């Protein structure tokens, strides 16, 4: 069976990706910053022998490189960069911009997926499917900036990772690598709650993840920003 590596697998969408890929019989490498504090993930790994848990902080280059070394020889069909951070909402309105928070948001949302792609490219190239996915956000759209206020850092970090992934797609196309830039919709998770959003249109993680996995299955090499519904999001 193919192998998927999921970042931020201890809760929210990441945990649901682990659950659904495990149910499909994939080998799942579920990574989290603090696996010992992840009871739901641990329970999943207990009932599903195809799930293994590894420690990974995507904001720390050394942590990424350590895991890549540990998993040498392990082909990874889908490198799923799910981990993300909104950043403290109160530190990213125009009146309160806090640049240390900005750096931290960039480190996790932008540097993280790119550094993961760098470190794990040999594992991806050794696989059959050769896919690298980043979970982006519709809030990164330069066209649709009016949809939701402020959040300067989160929006910018996701727009930047989109560009990094587009650039990467051009670079690795010849080697058969497919890059996915997929937005999950507004999903009821801790991240969405921390944004303060209380409007309509919120869905649950299982619905979003089932749809996103479908897009991962059908990935081509166009690296368009695609919403879970299949709608193409304007950059
Ligand atoms: N929910 C939405 O409406 C929505 C919409 C658009 C995009 N997204 C994106 O979907 C992805 C998943 O978010 P979610 O909604 O499931 O939110 P969540 O429940 O807050 O989960 C975020 C995950 O990222 C992990 N994470 C944060 N910093 C990390 C780091 N340095 N290293 C490793 N893991 C780290 C968290 O781990 P800890 O528990 O250790 O912090 C957690 O597992 C994110 O990329 C987010 O931007 C979500």
């Amino acid at each position: 069976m193919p192998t998927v590596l999921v970042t931020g697998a201890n809760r929210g969408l990441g945990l649901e990706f682990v659950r659904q890929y495990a149910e499909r019989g994939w080998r799942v490498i579920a990574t989290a910053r603090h696996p010992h504090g992840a009871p739901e993930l641990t329970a999943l790994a207990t009932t599903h022998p195809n799930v293994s848990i590894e420690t990974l902080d995507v904001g720390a280059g050394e942590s990424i490189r350590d895991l890549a070394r540990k998993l040498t020889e392990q082909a990874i069909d889908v490198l799923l960069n799910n981990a993300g951070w909104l950043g403290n909402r109160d530190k990213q309105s125009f009146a309160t911009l806090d640049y240390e928070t900005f750096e931290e948001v960039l480190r996790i949302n932008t540097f993280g997926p790119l550094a993961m792609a760098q470190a794990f490219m040999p594992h991806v190239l050794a696989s059959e499917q050769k896919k690298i996915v980043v979970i982006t956000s519709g809030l990164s759209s330069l066209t649709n900036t009016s949809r939701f206020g402020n959040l300067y850092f989160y929006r910018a970090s996701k727009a930047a990772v989109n560009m990094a992934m587009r650039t990467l797609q051009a670079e690795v196309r010849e080697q058969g690598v497919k890059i996915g830039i997929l937005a999950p919709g507004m999903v009821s998770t801790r991240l969405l709650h921390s944004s303060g959003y209380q409007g309509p249109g919120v869905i649950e993680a299982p619905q979003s993840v089932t749809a996103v996995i479908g897009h991962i299955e059908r990935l081509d090499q166009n690296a368009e920003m695609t919403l879970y519904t299949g709608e193409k999001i304007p950059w």
Side-chain angles (χ1 to χ4, degrees), residues 7-14 32-34 56-59 82-85 108 135-138 154 158 184-192:
T7 65
N10 54 305
R11 61 183 159 96
L13 288 161
R33 276 196 286 201
H34 308 294
L56 175 68
D57 180 344
V58 303
N82 162 79
W85 188 44
I108 295 168
I135 302 300
T136 188
S137 164
Y154 183 69
K158 292 289 190 179
M186 289 185 295
V187 189
S188 179
T189 65
R190 204 184 295 176
L191 184 139
L192 186 71

PDB file of all heavy atoms in Angstrom, residues 7-14 32-34 56-59 82-85 108 135-138 154 158 184-192, ligand 1:
ATOM      1  N   THR A   7       1.731  15.995   8.626  1.00  0.00           N
ATOM      2  CA  THR A   7       2.228  16.859   9.699  1.00  0.00           C
ATOM      3  C   THR A   7       1.037  17.434  10.472  1.00  0.00           C
ATOM      4  O   THR A   7      -0.064  17.577   9.941  1.00  0.00           O
ATOM      5  CB  THR A   7       3.091  18.015   9.143  1.00  0.00           C
ATOM      6  OG1 THR A   7       2.266  18.886   8.347  1.00  0.00           O
ATOM      7  CG2 THR A   7       4.242  17.501   8.299  1.00  0.00           C
ATOM      8  N   GLY A   8       1.275  17.740  11.743  1.00  0.00           N
ATOM      9  CA  GLY A   8       0.187  18.270  12.575  1.00  0.00           C
ATOM     10  C   GLY A   8      -0.928  17.257  12.737  1.00  0.00           C
ATOM     11  O   GLY A   8      -2.114  17.584  12.633  1.00  0.00           O
ATOM     12  N   ALA A   9      -0.534  16.006  13.029  1.00  0.00           N
ATOM     13  CA  ALA A   9      -1.502  14.897  12.989  1.00  0.00           C
ATOM     14  C   ALA A   9      -2.221  14.678  14.314  1.00  0.00           C
ATOM     15  O   ALA A   9      -3.038  13.773  14.423  1.00  0.00           O
ATOM     16  CB  ALA A   9      -0.775  13.607  12.588  1.00  0.00           C
ATOM     17  N   ASN A  10      -1.949  15.494  15.310  1.00  0.00           N
ATOM     18  CA  ASN A  10      -2.507  15.222  16.639  1.00  0.00           C
ATOM     19  C   ASN A  10      -3.929  15.720  16.831  1.00  0.00           C
ATOM     20  O   ASN A  10      -4.616  15.304  17.754  1.00  0.00           O
ATOM     21  CB  ASN A  10      -1.606  15.810  17.731  1.00  0.00           C
ATOM     22  CG  ASN A  10      -1.328  17.278  17.540  1.00  0.00           C
ATOM     23  OD1 ASN A  10      -0.861  17.667  16.473  1.00  0.00           O
ATOM     24  ND2 ASN A  10      -1.618  18.096  18.528  1.00  0.00           N
ATOM     25  N   ARG A  11      -4.374  16.637  15.954  1.00  0.00           N
ATOM     26  CA  ARG A  11      -5.749  17.135  16.141  1.00  0.00           C
ATOM     27  C   ARG A  11      -6.250  17.746  14.824  1.00  0.00           C
ATOM     28  O   ARG A  11      -5.499  17.823  13.844  1.00  0.00           O
ATOM     29  CB  ARG A  11      -5.817  18.169  17.273  1.00  0.00           C
ATOM     30  CG  ARG A  11      -4.970  19.410  17.055  1.00  0.00           C
ATOM     31  CD  ARG A  11      -5.080  20.319  18.289  1.00  0.00           C
ATOM     32  NE  ARG A  11      -3.987  21.245  18.403  1.00  0.00           N
ATOM     33  CZ  ARG A  11      -3.999  22.509  17.976  1.00  0.00           C
ATOM     34  NH1 ARG A  11      -5.053  22.970  17.355  1.00  0.00           N
ATOM     35  NH2 ARG A  11      -2.948  23.286  18.169  1.00  0.00           N
ATOM     36  N   GLY A  12      -7.514  18.172  14.875  1.00  0.00           N
ATOM     37  CA  GLY A  12      -8.084  18.882  13.732  1.00  0.00           C
ATOM     38  C   GLY A  12      -8.031  18.073  12.446  1.00  0.00           C
ATOM     39  O   GLY A  12      -8.224  16.855  12.427  1.00  0.00           O
ATOM     40  N   LEU A  13      -7.738  18.773  11.358  1.00  0.00           N
ATOM     41  CA  LEU A  13      -7.725  18.131  10.041  1.00  0.00           C
ATOM     42  C   LEU A  13      -6.656  17.041   9.958  1.00  0.00           C
ATOM     43  O   LEU A  13      -6.875  16.002   9.337  1.00  0.00           O
ATOM     44  CB  LEU A  13      -7.476  19.193   8.963  1.00  0.00           C
ATOM     45  CG  LEU A  13      -8.657  20.135   8.703  1.00  0.00           C
ATOM     46  CD1 LEU A  13      -8.204  21.406   7.995  1.00  0.00           C
ATOM     47  CD2 LEU A  13      -9.723  19.431   7.875  1.00  0.00           C
ATOM     48  N   GLY A  14      -5.511  17.285  10.583  1.00  0.00           N
ATOM     49  CA  GLY A  14      -4.415  16.309  10.517  1.00  0.00           C
ATOM     50  C   GLY A  14      -4.824  14.970  11.096  1.00  0.00           C
ATOM     51  O   GLY A  14      -4.560  13.911  10.500  1.00  0.00           O
ATOM     52  N   ALA A  32       3.734  14.702  14.926  1.00  0.00           N
ATOM     53  CA  ALA A  32       3.218  15.748  15.816  1.00  0.00           C
ATOM     54  C   ALA A  32       4.374  16.291  16.644  1.00  0.00           C
ATOM     55  O   ALA A  32       5.353  15.591  16.893  1.00  0.00           O
ATOM     56  CB  ALA A  32       2.135  15.180  16.725  1.00  0.00           C
ATOM     57  N   ARG A  33       4.217  17.540  17.086  1.00  0.00           N
ATOM     58  CA  ARG A  33       5.256  18.142  17.938  1.00  0.00           C
ATOM     59  C   ARG A  33       5.395  17.401  19.247  1.00  0.00           C
ATOM     60  O   ARG A  33       6.485  17.180  19.741  1.00  0.00           O
ATOM     61  CB  ARG A  33       4.865  19.591  18.260  1.00  0.00           C
ATOM     62  CG  ARG A  33       5.240  20.555  17.229  1.00  0.00           C
ATOM     63  CD  ARG A  33       5.188  21.922  17.764  1.00  0.00           C
ATOM     64  NE  ARG A  33       3.810  22.395  17.922  1.00  0.00           N
ATOM     65  CZ  ARG A  33       3.497  23.665  17.992  1.00  0.00           C
ATOM     66  NH1 ARG A  33       4.454  24.570  17.932  1.00  0.00           N
ATOM     67  NH2 ARG A  33       2.256  24.052  18.119  1.00  0.00           N
ATOM     68  N   HIS A  34       4.235  17.038  19.825  1.00  0.00           N
ATOM     69  CA  HIS A  34       4.233  16.416  21.158  1.00  0.00           C
ATOM     70  C   HIS A  34       3.355  15.160  21.124  1.00  0.00           C
ATOM     71  O   HIS A  34       2.227  15.182  21.623  1.00  0.00           O
ATOM     72  CB  HIS A  34       3.702  17.395  22.203  1.00  0.00           C
ATOM     73  CG  HIS A  34       4.388  18.725  22.179  1.00  0.00           C
ATOM     74  ND1 HIS A  34       5.731  18.876  22.512  1.00  0.00           N
ATOM     75  CD2 HIS A  34       3.951  19.966  21.848  1.00  0.00           C
ATOM     76  CE1 HIS A  34       6.073  20.159  22.387  1.00  0.00           C
ATOM     77  NE2 HIS A  34       5.011  20.832  21.980  1.00  0.00           N
ATOM     78  N   LEU A  56       7.737  15.552  15.253  1.00  0.00           N
ATOM     79  CA  LEU A  56       8.191  16.505  14.234  1.00  0.00           C
ATOM     80  C   LEU A  56       7.645  17.899  14.532  1.00  0.00           C
ATOM     81  O   LEU A  56       6.439  18.093  14.643  1.00  0.00           O
ATOM     82  CB  LEU A  56       7.712  16.067  12.838  1.00  0.00           C
ATOM     83  CG  LEU A  56       8.035  17.054  11.703  1.00  0.00           C
ATOM     84  CD1 LEU A  56       9.538  17.124  11.449  1.00  0.00           C
ATOM     85  CD2 LEU A  56       7.307  16.662  10.419  1.00  0.00           C
ATOM     86  N   ASP A  57       8.569  18.848  14.620  1.00  0.00           N
ATOM     87  CA  ASP A  57       8.202  20.263  14.725  1.00  0.00           C
ATOM     88  C   ASP A  57       8.551  20.898  13.383  1.00  0.00           C
ATOM     89  O   ASP A  57       9.742  21.039  13.050  1.00  0.00           O
ATOM     90  CB  ASP A  57       8.995  20.915  15.867  1.00  0.00           C
ATOM     91  CG  ASP A  57       8.663  22.401  16.027  1.00  0.00           C
ATOM     92  OD1 ASP A  57       8.070  22.993  15.110  1.00  0.00           O
ATOM     93  OD2 ASP A  57       9.026  22.960  17.078  1.00  0.00           O
ATOM     94  N   VAL A  58       7.554  21.277  12.600  1.00  0.00           N
ATOM     95  CA  VAL A  58       7.836  21.795  11.251  1.00  0.00           C
ATOM     96  C   VAL A  58       8.439  23.203  11.279  1.00  0.00           C
ATOM     97  O   VAL A  58       8.897  23.708  10.260  1.00  0.00           O
ATOM     98  CB  VAL A  58       6.592  21.787  10.334  1.00  0.00           C
ATOM     99  CG1 VAL A  58       6.005  20.396  10.204  1.00  0.00           C
ATOM    100  CG2 VAL A  58       5.533  22.779  10.808  1.00  0.00           C
ATOM    101  N   GLY A  59       8.451  23.802  12.468  1.00  0.00           N
ATOM    102  CA  GLY A  59       9.071  25.116  12.600  1.00  0.00           C
ATOM    103  C   GLY A  59      10.550  25.030  12.941  1.00  0.00           C
ATOM    104  O   GLY A  59      11.200  26.063  13.131  1.00  0.00           O
ATOM    105  N   ASN A  82       0.217  19.556   6.448  1.00  0.00           N
ATOM    106  CA  ASN A  82      -1.057  20.016   7.017  1.00  0.00           C
ATOM    107  C   ASN A  82      -0.856  20.999   8.166  1.00  0.00           C
ATOM    108  O   ASN A  82      -1.652  21.917   8.348  1.00  0.00           O
ATOM    109  CB  ASN A  82      -1.854  18.791   7.497  1.00  0.00           C
ATOM    110  CG  ASN A  82      -2.943  19.171   8.454  1.00  0.00           C
ATOM    111  OD1 ASN A  82      -4.009  19.631   8.074  1.00  0.00           O
ATOM    112  ND2 ASN A  82      -2.676  18.987   9.757  1.00  0.00           N
ATOM    113  N   ALA A  83       0.215  20.833   8.926  1.00  0.00           N
ATOM    114  CA  ALA A  83       0.419  21.658  10.131  1.00  0.00           C
ATOM    115  C   ALA A  83       0.360  23.141   9.785  1.00  0.00           C
ATOM    116  O   ALA A  83       0.870  23.573   8.751  1.00  0.00           O
ATOM    117  CB  ALA A  83       1.776  21.337  10.760  1.00  0.00           C
ATOM    118  N   GLY A  84      -0.289  23.889  10.635  1.00  0.00           N
ATOM    119  CA  GLY A  84      -0.366  25.330  10.389  1.00  0.00           C
ATOM    120  C   GLY A  84      -0.770  26.061  11.650  1.00  0.00           C
ATOM    121  O   GLY A  84      -1.286  25.473  12.604  1.00  0.00           O
ATOM    122  N   TRP A  85      -0.509  27.352  11.630  1.00  0.00           N
ATOM    123  CA  TRP A  85      -0.850  28.185  12.790  1.00  0.00           C
ATOM    124  C   TRP A  85      -1.428  29.505  12.306  1.00  0.00           C
ATOM    125  O   TRP A  85      -0.869  30.124  11.377  1.00  0.00           O
ATOM    126  CB  TRP A  85       0.406  28.429  13.635  1.00  0.00           C
ATOM    127  CG  TRP A  85       0.122  29.120  14.936  1.00  0.00           C
ATOM    128  CD1 TRP A  85      -0.895  28.840  15.811  1.00  0.00           C
ATOM    129  CD2 TRP A  85       0.867  30.191  15.521  1.00  0.00           C
ATOM    130  NE1 TRP A  85      -0.825  29.682  16.901  1.00  0.00           N
ATOM    131  CE2 TRP A  85       0.241  30.519  16.757  1.00  0.00           C
ATOM    132  CE3 TRP A  85       1.997  30.910  15.128  1.00  0.00           C
ATOM    133  CZ2 TRP A  85       0.702  31.531  17.576  1.00  0.00           C
ATOM    134  CZ3 TRP A  85       2.457  31.917  15.959  1.00  0.00           C
ATOM    135  CH2 TRP A  85       1.822  32.212  17.177  1.00  0.00           C
ATOM    136  N   ILE A 108       6.261  28.449  10.537  1.00  0.00           N
ATOM    137  CA  ILE A 108       5.426  27.239  10.529  1.00  0.00           C
ATOM    138  C   ILE A 108       4.721  27.057   9.177  1.00  0.00           C
ATOM    139  O   ILE A 108       4.757  25.979   8.579  1.00  0.00           O
ATOM    140  CB  ILE A 108       4.396  27.303  11.681  1.00  0.00           C
ATOM    141  CG1 ILE A 108       5.142  27.270  13.024  1.00  0.00           C
ATOM    142  CG2 ILE A 108       3.393  26.158  11.571  1.00  0.00           C
ATOM    143  CD1 ILE A 108       4.284  27.621  14.218  1.00  0.00           C
ATOM    144  N   ILE A 135      -1.641  22.242   2.668  1.00  0.00           N
ATOM    145  CA  ILE A 135      -2.990  22.687   2.994  1.00  0.00           C
ATOM    146  C   ILE A 135      -2.921  24.202   3.158  1.00  0.00           C
ATOM    147  O   ILE A 135      -2.347  24.717   4.113  1.00  0.00           O
ATOM    148  CB  ILE A 135      -3.522  22.008   4.276  1.00  0.00           C
ATOM    149  CG1 ILE A 135      -3.519  20.482   4.110  1.00  0.00           C
ATOM    150  CG2 ILE A 135      -4.928  22.508   4.579  1.00  0.00           C
ATOM    151  CD1 ILE A 135      -4.383  19.942   2.970  1.00  0.00           C
ATOM    152  N   THR A 136      -3.478  24.878   2.155  1.00  0.00           N
ATOM    153  CA  THR A 136      -3.454  26.329   2.158  1.00  0.00           C
ATOM    154  C   THR A 136      -4.798  26.844   2.667  1.00  0.00           C
ATOM    155  O   THR A 136      -5.570  26.109   3.276  1.00  0.00           O
ATOM    156  CB  THR A 136      -3.128  26.872   0.752  1.00  0.00           C
ATOM    157  OG1 THR A 136      -2.941  28.278   0.833  1.00  0.00           O
ATOM    158  CG2 THR A 136      -4.238  26.566  -0.256  1.00  0.00           C
ATOM    159  N   SER A 137      -5.059  28.105   2.426  1.00  0.00           N
ATOM    160  CA  SER A 137      -6.320  28.695   2.881  1.00  0.00           C
ATOM    161  C   SER A 137      -6.846  29.636   1.804  1.00  0.00           C
ATOM    162  O   SER A 137      -6.060  30.350   1.165  1.00  0.00           O
ATOM    163  CB  SER A 137      -6.063  29.494   4.163  1.00  0.00           C
ATOM    164  OG  SER A 137      -7.157  30.359   4.414  1.00  0.00           O
ATOM    165  N   GLY A 138      -8.160  29.660   1.639  1.00  0.00           N
ATOM    166  CA  GLY A 138      -8.766  30.621   0.720  1.00  0.00           C
ATOM    167  C   GLY A 138      -8.424  32.050   1.116  1.00  0.00           C
ATOM    168  O   GLY A 138      -8.451  32.962   0.279  1.00  0.00           O
ATOM    169  N   TYR A 154      -1.252  35.507   8.788  1.00  0.00           N
ATOM    170  CA  TYR A 154      -1.759  34.220   8.301  1.00  0.00           C
ATOM    171  C   TYR A 154      -1.955  34.269   6.783  1.00  0.00           C
ATOM    172  O   TYR A 154      -1.491  33.402   6.048  1.00  0.00           O
ATOM    173  CB  TYR A 154      -3.069  33.892   9.007  1.00  0.00           C
ATOM    174  CG  TYR A 154      -3.644  32.547   8.631  1.00  0.00           C
ATOM    175  CD1 TYR A 154      -3.010  31.366   9.016  1.00  0.00           C
ATOM    176  CD2 TYR A 154      -4.822  32.448   7.890  1.00  0.00           C
ATOM    177  CE1 TYR A 154      -3.539  30.125   8.677  1.00  0.00           C
ATOM    178  CE2 TYR A 154      -5.360  31.217   7.551  1.00  0.00           C
ATOM    179  CZ  TYR A 154      -4.718  30.059   7.946  1.00  0.00           C
ATOM    180  OH  TYR A 154      -5.245  28.835   7.609  1.00  0.00           O
ATOM    181  N   LYS A 158       0.335  32.122   3.948  1.00  0.00           N
ATOM    182  CA  LYS A 158      -0.261  31.125   3.052  1.00  0.00           C
ATOM    183  C   LYS A 158      -0.071  31.539   1.581  1.00  0.00           C
ATOM    184  O   LYS A 158       0.164  30.688   0.726  1.00  0.00           O
ATOM    185  CB  LYS A 158      -1.746  30.930   3.380  1.00  0.00           C
ATOM    186  CG  LYS A 158      -2.001  30.267   4.739  1.00  0.00           C
ATOM    187  CD  LYS A 158      -1.602  28.790   4.739  1.00  0.00           C
ATOM    188  CE  LYS A 158      -2.087  28.088   6.006  1.00  0.00           C
ATOM    189  NZ  LYS A 158      -1.734  26.655   6.031  1.00  0.00           N
ATOM    190  N   PRO A 184      -9.041  23.586   2.557  1.00  0.00           N
ATOM    191  CA  PRO A 184     -10.026  22.655   3.121  1.00  0.00           C
ATOM    192  C   PRO A 184     -11.405  23.242   3.340  1.00  0.00           C
ATOM    193  O   PRO A 184     -12.314  22.527   3.742  1.00  0.00           O
ATOM    194  CB  PRO A 184      -9.388  22.304   4.474  1.00  0.00           C
ATOM    195  CG  PRO A 184      -8.635  23.532   4.867  1.00  0.00           C
ATOM    196  CD  PRO A 184      -8.116  24.116   3.575  1.00  0.00           C
ATOM    197  N   GLY A 185     -11.584  24.541   3.097  1.00  0.00           N
ATOM    198  CA  GLY A 185     -12.845  25.197   3.465  1.00  0.00           C
ATOM    199  C   GLY A 185     -12.771  25.672   4.902  1.00  0.00           C
ATOM    200  O   GLY A 185     -11.724  25.570   5.549  1.00  0.00           O
ATOM    201  N   MET A 186     -13.874  26.190   5.389  1.00  0.00           N
ATOM    202  CA  MET A 186     -13.906  26.631   6.790  1.00  0.00           C
ATOM    203  C   MET A 186     -14.359  25.456   7.643  1.00  0.00           C
ATOM    204  O   MET A 186     -15.518  25.029   7.572  1.00  0.00           O
ATOM    205  CB  MET A 186     -14.846  27.821   6.952  1.00  0.00           C
ATOM    206  CG  MET A 186     -14.252  29.082   6.322  1.00  0.00           C
ATOM    207  SD  MET A 186     -15.264  30.519   6.622  1.00  0.00           S
ATOM    208  CE  MET A 186     -16.734  30.086   5.736  1.00  0.00           C
ATOM    209  N   VAL A 187     -13.409  24.929   8.389  1.00  0.00           N
ATOM    210  CA  VAL A 187     -13.651  23.673   9.096  1.00  0.00           C
ATOM    211  C   VAL A 187     -13.616  23.914  10.600  1.00  0.00           C
ATOM    212  O   VAL A 187     -12.745  24.644  11.101  1.00  0.00           O
ATOM    213  CB  VAL A 187     -12.573  22.633   8.709  1.00  0.00           C
ATOM    214  CG1 VAL A 187     -12.942  21.266   9.274  1.00  0.00           C
ATOM    215  CG2 VAL A 187     -12.403  22.562   7.197  1.00  0.00           C
ATOM    216  N   SER A 188     -14.536  23.290  11.283  1.00  0.00           N
ATOM    217  CA  SER A 188     -14.630  23.477  12.731  1.00  0.00           C
ATOM    218  C   SER A 188     -13.445  22.814  13.448  1.00  0.00           C
ATOM    219  O   SER A 188     -13.482  21.627  13.777  1.00  0.00           O
ATOM    220  CB  SER A 188     -15.952  22.882  13.234  1.00  0.00           C
ATOM    221  OG  SER A 188     -16.026  23.031  14.625  1.00  0.00           O
ATOM    222  N   THR A 189     -12.378  23.592  13.633  1.00  0.00           N
ATOM    223  CA  THR A 189     -11.189  23.121  14.350  1.00  0.00           C
ATOM    224  C   THR A 189     -10.744  24.247  15.276  1.00  0.00           C
ATOM    225  O   THR A 189     -11.273  25.360  15.223  1.00  0.00           O
ATOM    226  CB  THR A 189     -10.019  22.818  13.385  1.00  0.00           C
ATOM    227  OG1 THR A 189      -9.623  24.067  12.766  1.00  0.00           O
ATOM    228  CG2 THR A 189     -10.388  21.816  12.312  1.00  0.00           C
ATOM    229  N   ARG A 190      -9.704  23.957  16.057  1.00  0.00           N
ATOM    230  CA  ARG A 190      -9.211  24.975  16.985  1.00  0.00           C
ATOM    231  C   ARG A 190      -8.730  26.222  16.236  1.00  0.00           C
ATOM    232  O   ARG A 190      -8.916  27.351  16.673  1.00  0.00           O
ATOM    233  CB  ARG A 190      -8.069  24.400  17.833  1.00  0.00           C
ATOM    234  CG  ARG A 190      -7.912  25.143  19.142  1.00  0.00           C
ATOM    235  CD  ARG A 190      -6.733  24.646  19.945  1.00  0.00           C
ATOM    236  NE  ARG A 190      -6.864  23.273  20.389  1.00  0.00           N
ATOM    237  CZ  ARG A 190      -5.899  22.618  21.039  1.00  0.00           C
ATOM    238  NH1 ARG A 190      -4.753  23.214  21.304  1.00  0.00           N
ATOM    239  NH2 ARG A 190      -6.067  21.373  21.413  1.00  0.00           N
ATOM    240  N   LEU A 191      -8.129  25.990  15.051  1.00  0.00           N
ATOM    241  CA  LEU A 191      -7.627  27.133  14.275  1.00  0.00           C
ATOM    242  C   LEU A 191      -8.761  28.066  13.875  1.00  0.00           C
ATOM    243  O   LEU A 191      -8.671  29.282  14.031  1.00  0.00           O
ATOM    244  CB  LEU A 191      -6.874  26.623  13.041  1.00  0.00           C
ATOM    245  CG  LEU A 191      -6.211  27.707  12.179  1.00  0.00           C
ATOM    246  CD1 LEU A 191      -4.836  27.254  11.703  1.00  0.00           C
ATOM    247  CD2 LEU A 191      -7.060  28.085  10.972  1.00  0.00           C
ATOM    248  N   LEU A 192      -9.858  27.503  13.384  1.00  0.00           N
ATOM    249  CA  LEU A 192     -10.971  28.361  12.966  1.00  0.00           C
ATOM    250  C   LEU A 192     -11.563  29.073  14.187  1.00  0.00           C
ATOM    251  O   LEU A 192     -11.868  30.264  14.130  1.00  0.00           O
ATOM    252  CB  LEU A 192     -12.059  27.551  12.251  1.00  0.00           C
ATOM    253  CG  LEU A 192     -13.172  28.431  11.672  1.00  0.00           C
ATOM    254  CD1 LEU A 192     -12.678  29.219  10.465  1.00  0.00           C
ATOM    255  CD2 LEU A 192     -14.399  27.620  11.279  1.00  0.00           C
TER     256      LEU A 192
HETATM  257  N1  LIG B   1      -9.899  25.009   9.956  1.00  0.00           N
HETATM  258  C1  LIG B   1     -10.019  25.824   8.922  1.00  0.00           C
HETATM  259  O1  LIG B   1     -11.095  26.440   8.723  1.00  0.00           O
HETATM  260  C2  LIG B   1      -8.901  25.985   7.949  1.00  0.00           C
HETATM  261  C3  LIG B   1      -9.130  26.765   6.808  1.00  0.00           C
HETATM  262  C4  LIG B   1      -8.116  26.927   5.885  1.00  0.00           C
HETATM  263  C5  LIG B   1      -6.908  26.287   6.087  1.00  0.00           C
HETATM  264  N2  LIG B   1      -6.701  25.523   7.205  1.00  0.00           N
HETATM  265  C6  LIG B   1      -5.388  24.897   7.379  1.00  0.00           C
HETATM  266  O2  LIG B   1      -5.572  23.544   7.730  1.00  0.00           O
HETATM  267  C7  LIG B   1      -4.400  23.089   8.414  1.00  0.00           C
HETATM  268  C8  LIG B   1      -4.808  22.309   9.649  1.00  0.00           C
HETATM  269  O3  LIG B   1      -5.381  23.213  10.573  1.00  0.00           O
HETATM  270  P1  LIG B   1      -6.628  22.828  11.495  1.00  0.00           P
HETATM  271  O4  LIG B   1      -7.795  23.602  11.006  1.00  0.00           O
HETATM  272  O5  LIG B   1      -6.737  21.362  11.627  1.00  0.00           O
HETATM  273  O6  LIG B   1      -6.189  23.531  12.863  1.00  0.00           O
HETATM  274  P2  LIG B   1      -5.748  22.969  14.293  1.00  0.00           P
HETATM  275  O7  LIG B   1      -6.773  22.053  14.841  1.00  0.00           O
HETATM  276  O8  LIG B   1      -5.385  24.193  15.046  1.00  0.00           O
HETATM  277  O9  LIG B   1      -4.461  22.100  13.983  1.00  0.00           O
HETATM  278  C9  LIG B   1      -3.224  22.667  13.644  1.00  0.00           C
HETATM  279  C10 LIG B   1      -2.194  21.568  13.682  1.00  0.00           C
HETATM  280  O10 LIG B   1      -0.937  22.110  13.292  1.00  0.00           O
HETATM  281  C11 LIG B   1       0.003  21.702  14.260  1.00  0.00           C
HETATM  282  N3  LIG B   1       1.166  22.581  14.362  1.00  0.00           N
HETATM  283  C12 LIG B   1       1.205  23.905  14.606  1.00  0.00           C
HETATM  284  N4  LIG B   1       2.484  24.319  14.659  1.00  0.00           N
HETATM  285  C13 LIG B   1       3.255  23.237  14.432  1.00  0.00           C
HETATM  286  C14 LIG B   1       4.649  22.993  14.357  1.00  0.00           C
HETATM  287  N5  LIG B   1       5.544  23.965  14.539  1.00  0.00           N
HETATM  288  N6  LIG B   1       5.090  21.742  14.101  1.00  0.00           N
HETATM  289  C15 LIG B   1       4.206  20.727  13.925  1.00  0.00           C
HETATM  290  N7  LIG B   1       2.881  20.880  14.002  1.00  0.00           N
HETATM  291  C16 LIG B   1       2.415  22.120  14.249  1.00  0.00           C
HETATM  292  C17 LIG B   1      -0.758  21.683  15.570  1.00  0.00           C
HETATM  293  O11 LIG B   1      -0.024  20.970  16.544  1.00  0.00           O
HETATM  294  P3  LIG B   1       0.035  21.439  18.111  1.00  0.00           P
HETATM  295  O12 LIG B   1      -1.162  20.795  18.752  1.00  0.00           O
HETATM  296  O13 LIG B   1       1.341  20.910  18.583  1.00  0.00           O
HETATM  297  O14 LIG B   1      -0.042  22.930  18.115  1.00  0.00           O
HETATM  298  C18 LIG B   1      -2.015  20.983  15.089  1.00  0.00           C
HETATM  299  O15 LIG B   1      -1.804  19.614  14.991  1.00  0.00           O
HETATM  300  C19 LIG B   1      -3.562  24.336   8.695  1.00  0.00           C
HETATM  301  O16 LIG B   1      -2.506  24.444   7.763  1.00  0.00           O
HETATM  302  C20 LIG B   1      -4.547  25.464   8.489  1.00  0.00           C
HETATM  303  O17 LIG B   1      -3.907  26.668   8.125  1.00  0.00           O
HETATM  304  C21 LIG B   1      -7.669  25.367   8.127  1.00  0.00           C
END
